């Protein structure tokens, strides 16, 4: 009964609303030109970086910061120490007996990234390393609106694969090069974000990248950016039919350009297979994966699914703004990067499609909207999880009526565990990885699916498209998505944003009592949890007929449309939150009622479902 009522996201029509607003937003801008030499024998590299920095902030800057992520992979780093002290360490980063893998890295296995010289507009500047952050005191301050050019030389060593990036992954990928170059920290309207690399998540400055990579000529390279010298390089990038001239020497220099990205990843391996697909009216897709008989069939079948996923997200979120996307075997699970992803490849087909869909969806939330993931991780991981679940339901022909069932279950587990921390917690500051994971992914995903319950599914999808359109390339914050939803729905949602994301208040409504009042039936509902919610109440009669009642929350100052097409709905009086109980009458005798159910869609994250149902004896 409950499930047959689950009407799911019917209206996916695209409507463009809202002109650009938010003139108070500004973003810094970076243009990187880098030349890097990679030694594939000792995994060391040197690089030169010219960085033209545009200070779009209203402030004069006396300091800047660069991330030196590879320094995290050294014994005694903050990442290592945190790993040794957290109660539930990430299994990828620990040995079978739960010891830190970083702690045992030798000199030649650890990672490092050091600036060896640095000038600002031709003048030497003083710089010092604080773990994974380079602190730079400027030779002269950068005034608001001005540009300044940094020239840096750097050297690095690629660590053994511990987390995300590294050499010689478990599946045998030689180089997974993410978080590998000195990367300017973002300064935005919330201030500096020079977060040390402890566990997770990133925030970057958009700009244009021009990267020349010199590497052993047997290696095939993929990643962020368009290859500029494809016909010289070959490796499957050449124009079909082009004969590649044999290069003298042991190396090739690959030249990539990437416009308006806030990160640059590359991966390289001598045994990559390289396939190319064209999304109709969309980008070109590159697939790079090991020539390993165990995985070949799945990686071929993955390719049309990636086309479908790209089309799904472009339709439901907004147009993908680049001409290329690459799915590359590498890393240690799945991680999103600009115009690309690194995923592990030895998976069952469903899992392979699932990880591709999730990482591809990040292109919209992590790279183009680019919420600060350290501070608002739920807006990135959660929204990505939400939309990729919908995508999977469509492209894998899932017959699950509620694709979010497991998501809600996970959230209830956390909410009832006593280990929950509010979603405002910095991604590194959760006491447990378990609490971070559920809070960011599951509770973040429910923020949207439950928003659909509150404002209606078509309004939710319109909210997502409008949010993307209005805030792409702006680093939006939680209030932004709330305001878009308010404007689209006409429903006030401050209570939703504050309770759901800034507290650990839970939702628990129940049917307290059902009684006969002459020829009518009186229903008494109760609010047990602190978090407010509007209620959909379904009544099922003995003859099989059904009707619904809708009790809006008074502080919403608005109502959603009837979500159950073809079922009569009565809007009953508002429920002012502070009242613990609420009565309404059904104008039918109690003896005619078979059951009463609060929220048959189960999109409201009520932590106790048992008291949501009343059944006639
Ligand atoms: Zn993710």
């Amino acid at each position: 009964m409950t499930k047959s009522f689950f009407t799911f996201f019917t209206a996916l029509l695209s409507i463009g609303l809202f002109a650009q607003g938010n003139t108070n937003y500004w973003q810094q801008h970076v243009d990187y030109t880098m030349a890097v030499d990679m030694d594939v024998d000792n995994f060391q590299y040197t690089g030169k970086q010219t960085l033209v920095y545009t200070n779009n902030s209203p402030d004069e800057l006396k300091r800047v910061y660069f991330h030196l992520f590879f320094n995290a992979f050294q014994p005694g780093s903050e990442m290592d120490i945190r790993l040794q002290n957290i109660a539930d360490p990430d299994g990828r980063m620990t040995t079978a007996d739960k010891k830190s893998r970083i702690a045992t890295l030798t000199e030649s296995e650890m990672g490092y990234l050091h600036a060896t010289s640095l000038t600002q507009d031709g003048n030497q500047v003083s710089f010092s390393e604080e773990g994974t952050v380079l602190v730079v005191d400027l030779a002269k301050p950068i005034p608001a609106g001005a540009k300044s050019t940094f020239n840096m030389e750097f050297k690095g060593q690629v660590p053994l694969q511990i987390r995300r990036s590294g050499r010689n992954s478990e599946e045998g990928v030689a180089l997974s090069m993410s978080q590998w170059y000195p990367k300017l920290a973002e300064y935005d309207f919330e201030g500096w974000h020079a977060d040390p690399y402890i566990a997770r998540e990133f925030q970057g400055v958009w700009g244009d990248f021009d990267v020349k990579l010199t590497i052993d000529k047997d290696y095939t390279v993929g990643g962020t950016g368009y290859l500029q010298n494809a016909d010289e390089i070959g490796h499957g990038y050449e124009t079909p039919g082009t004969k590649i001239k044999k290069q003298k020497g042991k190396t090739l220099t690959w030249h990539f350009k990437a416009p308006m990205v806030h990160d640059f990843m590359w991966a390289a391996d001598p045994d990559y297979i390289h396939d190319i697909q064209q999304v109709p009216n969309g980008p070109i897709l590159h697939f790079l994966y090991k020539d390993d008989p165990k995985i070949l069939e799945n990686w071929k079948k993955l390719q049309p699914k990636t086309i479908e996923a790209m089309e799904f997200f472009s339709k439901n979120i907004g147009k993908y703004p680049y001409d290329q996307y690459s799915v590359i075997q590498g890393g240690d699970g799945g991680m999103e990067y600009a115009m690309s992803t690194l995923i592990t490849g030895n998976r069952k087909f469903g899992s392979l499609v699932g990880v591709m869909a999730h990482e591809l969806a990040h292109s919209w939330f992590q790279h183009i909207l680019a919420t600060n993931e350290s501070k608002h991780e739920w807006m990135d991981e959660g929204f990505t999880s939400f939309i990729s679940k919908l995508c999977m339901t469509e492209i894998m022909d899932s017959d699950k009526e509620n694709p979010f069932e497991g998501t809600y279950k996970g959230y209830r587990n956390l909410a009832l565990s006593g280990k929950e921390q509010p979603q405002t917690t910095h991604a590194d500051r959760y006491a447990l990885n378990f609490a971070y994971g559920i809070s960011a992914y599951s509770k973040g995903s429910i923020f949207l699916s439950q928003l659909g319950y509150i404002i209606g599914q078509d309004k939710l999808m319109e909210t997502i498209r409008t949010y993307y359109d209005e805030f792409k390339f702006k680093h939006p914050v939680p209030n932004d998505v709330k305001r878009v939803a308010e404007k689209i729905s006409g429903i006030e949602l401050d209570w939703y944003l504050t309770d759901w994301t800034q507290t650990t208040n839970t939702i628990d409504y129940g049917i307290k009592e059902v009684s006969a009042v002459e020829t009518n039936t009186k229903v008494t509902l109760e609010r047990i949890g602190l978090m407010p919610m509007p209620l959909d109440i379904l009544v099922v009669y003995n003859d099989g007929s059904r009707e619904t009642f809708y009790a809006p929350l008074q502080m919403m100052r608005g109502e959603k449309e009837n979500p159950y097409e073809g079922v009569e709905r009565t809007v009953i009086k508002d429920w002012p939150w502070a009242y613990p109980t609420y009565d309404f009458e059904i104008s039918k005798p109690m003896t005619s009622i078979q059951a009463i159910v609060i929220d048959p869609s189960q999109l409201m994250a009520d932590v106790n479902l048992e008291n949501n149902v009343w059944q006639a004896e």
Side-chain angles (χ1 to χ4, degrees), residues 336 358-359 362 380-381 384 441:
E336 70 278 10
H358 179 94
E359 305 313 335
H362 269 301
D380 173 43
E381 293 300 352
T384 295
Y441 290 74

Side-chain angles (χ1 to χ4, degrees), residues 96-116:
D97 55 348
K98 290 205 165 187
K99 295 258 159 51
S100 162
R101 286 175 59 217
I102 300 176
T104 59
L105 291 174
T106 64
E107 286 281 324
S108 64
E109 292 170 338
M110 67 169 70
Y112 61 72
L113 182 57
H114 303 303
T116 50

Side-chain angles (χ1 to χ4, degrees), residues 219-522:
Y219 281 62
T220 302
V221 180
T224 308
Y226 308 116
L227 185 61
Q228 301 297 300
N229 54 342
D231 288 347
E232 197 181 306
I233 293 286
H235 284 274
Y237 285 96
E238 69 274 17
T239 323
T242 310
K243 205 167 173 312
I244 309 301
K245 269 196 235 135
K246 231 184 144 58
Q247 300 283 323
K248 280 184 229 131
K250 279 195 167 126
T251 59
L252 280 176
T253 297
W254 300 61
H255 184 194
F256 293 98
K257 283 190 181 178
M260 273 307 271
V261 292
H262 65 65
D263 198 11
F264 192 100
M265 180 279 285
W266 59 276
D269 192 272
D271 301 321
Y272 271 149
I273 293 177
H274 179 196
D275 294 331
I276 295 176
Q277 298 283 351
Q278 172 78 54
V279 179
N281 304 310
I284 285 176
L285 306 176
H286 294 266
F287 297 85
L288 293 131
Y289 53 101
K290 297 282 286 188
D291 188 0
D292 172 355
K294 282 202 304 288
I295 68 167
L296 293 185
E297 192 195 333
N298 279 349
W299 275 76
K300 294 288 180 201
K301 278 162 55 191
L302 175 67
Q303 297 173 24
K305 290 295 172 198
T306 311
I307 294 176
E308 286 179 59
M310 180 62 85
E311 289 174 326
F312 181 90
F313 298 135
S314 289
K315 181 175 144 204
N316 288 295
I317 314 172
K319 194 178 158 27
Y320 178 76
Y322 306 102
D323 297 328
Q324 181 182 303
Y325 186 81
S326 301
V327 181
I328 303 173
Q329 186 183 3
D332 57 2
M335 182 68 195
E336 70 278 10
Y337 301 103
M339 302 168 68
S340 58
T341 178
L342 286 177
I343 60 175
T344 47
N346 189 7
R347 296 163 174 266
K348 292 208 172 97
F349 184 59
S351 161
L352 189 65
V353 177
V355 71
M356 171 279 295
H358 179 94
E359 305 313 335
L360 175 58
H362 269 301
S363 292
W364 283 260
F365 296 106
Q366 149 63 359
H367 290 288
I368 302 166
L369 286 159
T371 307
N372 183 335
E373 291 182 281
S374 303
K375 294 181 71 170
H376 315 298
E377 54 275 11
W378 59 275
M379 292 177 73
D380 173 43
E381 293 300 352
F383 293 7
T384 295
S385 298
F386 170 81
I387 204 79
S388 58
K389 274 254 163 65
L390 287 189
C391 171
M392 285 296 282
T393 305
E394 179 156 310
I395 71 174
M396 297 298 275
D397 301 319
S398 164
D399 54 4
K400 263 195 211 156
E401 282 182 79
N402 182 353
F404 301 108
E405 210 179 318
T407 309
Y408 280 75
K409 219 173 136 192
Y411 161 68
R412 281 187 195 102
N413 268 342
L414 174 65
L416 300 172
S417 71
K419 311 279 191 201
E420 189 183 3
Q421 290 172 256
Q423 288 181 306
T424 46
T425 305
H426 186 285
D428 284 332
R429 235 82 75 213
Y430 282 85
L432 296 170
N433 283 322
F434 155 72
Y436 161 79
I438 303 279
S439 174
Y441 290 74
S442 306
K443 196 181 182 190
S445 173
I446 295 171
F447 178 89
L448 289 183
S449 50
Q450 187 167 250
L451 181 61
Y453 167 76
I454 298 164
I455 67 175
Q457 300 304 339
D458 54 341
K459 295 279 194 291
L460 166 69
M461 297 315 283
E462 199 179 325
T463 295
I464 292 170
R465 289 188 301 271
T466 306
Y467 167 61
Y468 175 73
D469 193 45
E470 245 193 287
F471 289 97
K472 57 191 171 198
F473 300 108
K474 286 189 174 170
H475 296 313
V477 294
N479 201 59
D480 296 327
V481 70
K482 185 213 74 166
R483 286 294 293 139
V484 173
E486 286 183 334
K487 290 188 224 176
I488 298 264
S489 67
I491 289 175
E492 291 191 17
L493 295 164
D494 231 14
W495 60 275
Y496 184 50
L497 187 72
T498 52
D499 275 62
W500 190 251
T501 72
Q502 298 169 20
T503 76
T504 55
N505 290 348
T506 53
I507 302 158
D508 183 9
Y509 283 89
I511 300 170
K512 193 173 187 203
E513 203 185 348
V514 178
S515 54
V517 179
E518 294 169 8
T519 56
N520 285 355
T521 306
K522 184 174 141 193

